[in-house]
Every structure is written in structure tokens, then in C-alpha cells.
Amino acid sequence: FGLTTPAKDTATQNKDNADTMQIGWQDLKGKVAPYYDPFRELTQEQIYNLSIYGRVLELQKTVPNKVTDKMVQMGEEAKAKLIKDKVDIEGLFAQREIIVAKRRKAAMETNNLLINRQIQISGYLLALEFDQGLVTEFLLVPTVGACSHKPVPAANQLILVKTKQPFDAGSPYVPIRVTGTLQTNQQDKNLNLVDGNKQIQMAYFIDDGMVTEL
């Protein structure tokens, strides 16, 4: 596994190591002004009930002929539980679009101090492009299964990597270390996965990345 490179003398290797920043995934997040997110105070059950009630309301406005009595009942039951829990339903609905926009901005914000710097970061790969069975391009993700059968991380928690030379990916459950120059490259990519297509936003890019298995 991994990439092989021409041998370097000790002085050159030491300089490369000194110039390379060891970073973690939290370092990739850019600075965002603090904001109050009332949805974080809700329990999972309350979030579920709020989504059920909100979905029924939306359908009643857009396609009322497709709303069944059973759906109306589910919506009313969800609303009743929220009222019992003293959840401010209308207030949360009014804040929803604002909070979504703030979350989206936070997810895309990059750390400008790392741009065009030689970095080294560990994670897991999701192979995207191949050359004769060897990986040439992949998505570096912070956790096993992210984007494939687990939720998609924020855009600033994803790095699109093009390798210096093709390599054998091995197991997707084995962590890897990537070394390369970090760049911003905010873009969308359509990924064909086992459970269907996903449109994924990513904020970082590494070209000619060097890969080693941990």
C-alpha cells in the first residue's frame, strides 16, 4: 500500500518534515461568528416530531389532495407532543431558514492560514477515480464510512485528493495519512455510491498528494 518516491538525502528529508504542518480535522474549520441555534436544545424525539408536523403542513399547502387522514393525524399527534414539551413551534419554524443559512456558511468556511501550506492529515478514503485498478483520486474523510453509508460531513471536513501516482487503496477501514499542499476548491461532486447518487460539497483540494497507510 502507499506510494513510492525517489530516495532523498537526510538534509532534504529533514527540511520537508520541518515545512510540513501536522493538522487535525478541527484545524480545517474556519472562524465563524458565534450564533444561537435553538434546534440544538431539542431532543431527537422533539426534532422528529417537529419534522413530521412541518412536513404535513408543507404538504397541505403544496399538494393538499395528497394529504391523507392518517398523515393529518400523525401531524396533530406530533404537534400535541411538542406543545406538551413546551416547544416554541412557530418560533422554531420562523428561525429555520436563518439557522440553515448560518449552518451552511459555517460548513463552507475554510481556514485561510492553511491555504497553500504543506500539510499532513490522517483520515479515511473514499475512492473516486481509478487507473488500471489503482486509485488516482479520492475523497479524504474524517471517519470510516462518511459519505458512503454515514452522513456527509461539512464541506470543510472533506478533502478532494489527486495522487502523485496511482496506488492500491487496500481496505477503506484502514486509516491513511496524506501529505500535500492544501488548496481551497469549493465545488460539488456527484458520487455514485452503493445506495445511490449523492451530491457532495467539498471545500479543500490537494493535488499530487502523497499517501501512506497508518
Side-chain angles (χ1 to χ4, degrees), residues 69-124:
D69 292 340
K70 178 63 175 177
M71 294 166 66
V72 172
Q73 181 183 347
M74 289 178 61
E76 290 302 317
E77 289 175 353
K79 179 182 179 181
K81 291 177 181 178
L82 292 169
I83 292 174
K84 182 179 178 181
D85 289 344
K86 298 181 179 180
V87 173
D88 181 8
I89 301 174
E90 297 304 320
L92 288 172
F93 281 164
Q95 286 287 310
R96 181 169 51 188
E97 294 303 320
I98 297 173
I99 297 302
V100 167
K102 289 182 177 181
R103 286 181 179 177
R104 187 177 295 115
K105 177 177 173 58
M108 294 297 296
E109 202 69 31
T110 55
N111 184 348
N112 293 330
L113 297 177
L114 299 177
I115 305 307
N116 296 322
R117 296 291 301 272
Q118 178 88 352
I119 62 99
Q120 191 171 83
I121 185 171
S122 300
Y124 299 86

Side-chain angles (χ1 to χ4, degrees), residues 63-197:
V63 285
N65 59 311
K66 293 187 177 181
V67 179
T68 65
D69 292 340
K70 178 63 175 177
M71 294 166 66
V72 172
Q73 181 183 347
M74 289 178 61
E76 290 302 317
E77 289 175 353
K79 179 182 179 181
K81 291 177 181 178
L82 292 169
I83 292 174
K84 182 179 178 181
D85 289 344
K86 298 181 179 180
V87 173
D88 181 8
I89 301 174
E90 297 304 320
L92 288 172
F93 281 164
Q95 286 287 310
R96 181 169 51 188
E97 294 303 320
I98 297 173
I99 297 302
V100 167
K102 289 182 177 181
R103 286 181 179 177
R104 187 177 295 115
K105 177 177 173 58
M108 294 297 296
E109 202 69 31
T110 55
N111 184 348
N112 293 330
L113 297 177
L114 299 177
I115 305 307
N116 296 322
R117 296 291 301 272
Q118 178 88 352
I119 62 99
Q120 191 171 83
I121 185 171
S122 300
Y124 299 86
L125 72 82
L126 178 61
L128 302 178
E129 301 290 342
F130 296 87
D131 180 8
Q132 298 182 353
L134 300 179
V135 176
T136 58
E137 182 179 314
F138 64 91
L139 204 57
L140 187 69
V141 298
T143 58
V144 174
C147 295
S148 55
H149 55 274
K150 289 184 179 179
V152 177
N156 59 17
Q157 296 292 281
L158 296 172
I159 304 176
L160 180 64
V161 181
K162 292 190 177 182
T163 63
K164 193 171 185 65
Q165 61 188 39
F167 71 101
D168 184 357
S171 170
Y173 302 104
V174 175
I176 62 171
R177 180 184 292 119
V178 175
T179 305
T181 301
L182 190 67
Q183 304 170 48
T184 54
N185 186 45
Q186 297 187 356
Q187 62 171 301
D188 295 347
K189 197 171 185 68
N190 189 44
L191 302 185
N192 294 313
L193 305 171
V194 175
D195 57 350
N197 293 338

